[in-house]
Amino acid sequence: MAAHQPFVSPRHVAIIMDGNGRWAEARGLPRSAGHKAGIDALRRSVRAASDQGIEVLSVYAFSTENWQRPKREVMFLFDLLNRFIKQDVAELHAAGVHIKIIGSRVDLDDKIIKQLKYAERLTADNTKLKLIVAFNYGARQELAQAAKALAELVAAGKMNAADITTDHFENALDTAGIPPVDLLIRTGGEQRVSNFMLWQCAYAEFYFTPIFWPDFDSTALAKALAEYAARDRRFGGLKVQSA
Ligand code: IPE
Ligand code: IPE
Ligand code: MG
């Protein structure tokens, strides 16, 4: 029974930070105000995840499909990421956070790329919490990219196609070396994955909450973790019998 089991903490928590626009609209504010408030929720969540002893926190900040939004909103989100990294990097570093940004950099301007690289380099040796920011990220694109990298190794004669395993695939992803997602949280009420970490979530527990992202806080995270702890993860096997 779950009640007799010790509290099980997830190693890797991933969050689809959704509902910024609706949060703002409900207050008669522009969508941009929701995105801004979403940055405060991100700050709170990083602290809360760190306090909870979580090893990896992944957050979905901008999807490859978000390019379909009005140009003004896209530019606002890019600027927000840039400012978040710039303003918060020192504090995150002091808190022992290792920052890693995943996703395609092809369409990002040089100023942002420089900023991201600086943050990654500065915090590379930190071990308290790994913060993965998925920006201009799409899981299908990531998987296609991994297939391409392996195909190139085969074409160059460095590997046999017949020898390709799931480990090779895993190591060709942006998240190589990072444990799989244990708990996927989506705020904002929608119950879908929207092209986020499809491979990494193969055995993740899903947790959906109607709370809009700007309202997410340590209490909301604790609730998700409590529900996770009560879940019975079987990984295709059978329920572990308690004595
Ligand atoms: C999440 O909030 C932030 C991003 C997708 C960048 P939304 O902007 O999707 O907010 P809603 O879903 O429209 O409320
Ligand atoms: C998912 O939210 C992407 C991010 C949170 C960055 P969306 O708001 O873009 O997802 P859909 O369009 O509702 O699926
Ligand atoms: Mg949304």
Side-chain angles (χ1 to χ4, degrees):
M1 297 290 284
H4 300 298
Q5 283 171 357
F7 190 86
V8 210
S9 255
R11 287 181 74 188
H12 186 171
V13 174
I15 307 182
I16 301 177
M17 310 184 288
D18 197 21
N20 292 351
R22 281 164 287 161
W23 180 91
E25 278 154 28
R27 286 165 177 72
L29 299 169
R31 292 178 58 82
S32 57
H35 295 315
K36 245 170 129 175
I39 292 290
D40 292 329
L42 175 58
R43 290 188 177 115
R44 282 198 299 272
S45 302
V46 171
R47 268 197 302 272
S50 184
D51 291 347
Q52 294 276 1
I54 288 161
E55 210 176 302
V56 186
L57 176 69
S58 294
V59 293
Y60 204 8
F62 188 88
S63 77
T64 44
E65 288 72 33
N66 288 146
W67 286 101
Q68 295 171 53
R69 296 187 181 199
K71 190 159 184 249
R72 207 160 41 111
E73 180 164 344
V74 170
M75 283 176 49
F76 187 84
L77 288 166
F78 276 55
D79 192 47
L80 208 56
L81 171 81
N82 200 23
R83 270 187 295 158
F84 167 68
I85 299 286
K86 211 167 173 169
Q87 285 171 3
D88 285 47
V89 69
E91 201 178 314
L92 290 168
H93 183 44
V97 177
H98 173 183
I99 304 169
K100 183 175 166 67
I101 290 94
I102 62 167
S104 170
R105 301 200 178 175
V106 174
D107 303 302
L108 306 189
D109 74 40
D110 292 346
K111 209 178 76 191
I112 296 189
I113 293 175
K114 248 190 175 157
Q115 192 70 45
L116 302 183
K117 279 189 180 156
Y118 169 74
E120 287 185 329
R121 226 178 313 121
L122 178 72
T123 64
D125 297 328
N126 293 341
T127 54
K128 178 74 185 110
L129 172 79
K130 189 169 271 185
L131 174 65
I132 301 179
V133 182
F135 193 83
N136 197 19
Y137 172 88
R140 286 173 168 175
Q141 290 81 349
E142 180 191 32
L143 289 164
Q145 195 58 45
K148 205 156 102 183
L150 294 177
E152 277 164 5
L153 289 175
V154 172
K158 292 181 181 155
M159 189 178 202
N160 291 318
D163 294 336
I164 295 176
T165 63
T166 53
D167 282 347
H168 292 119
F169 226 95
E170 174 127 11
N171 289 329
L173 297 175
D174 289 355
T175 53
I178 290 159
V181 175
D182 296 303
L183 172 63
L184 176 75
I185 297 172
R186 181 170 186 145
T187 61
E190 313 297 352
Q191 303 194 358
R192 51 177 175 255
V193 283
S194 302
N195 203 15
F196 188 47
M197 294 200 170
L198 299 178
W199 175 285
Q200 297 85 344
C201 283
Y203 264 103
E205 296 296 324
F206 285 20
Y207 178 86
F208 300 105
T209 169
I211 295 175
F212 292 138
W213 175 247
D215 289 329
F216 197 79
D217 58 11
S218 58
T219 308
L221 178 67
K223 221 174 133 193
L225 294 176
E227 180 163 327
Y228 172 86
R231 300 257 182 108
D232 181 24
R233 300 187 81 191
R234 290 189 290 279
F235 299 98
L238 298 179
K239 189 173 163 64
V240 179
Q241 295 296 316
S242 45

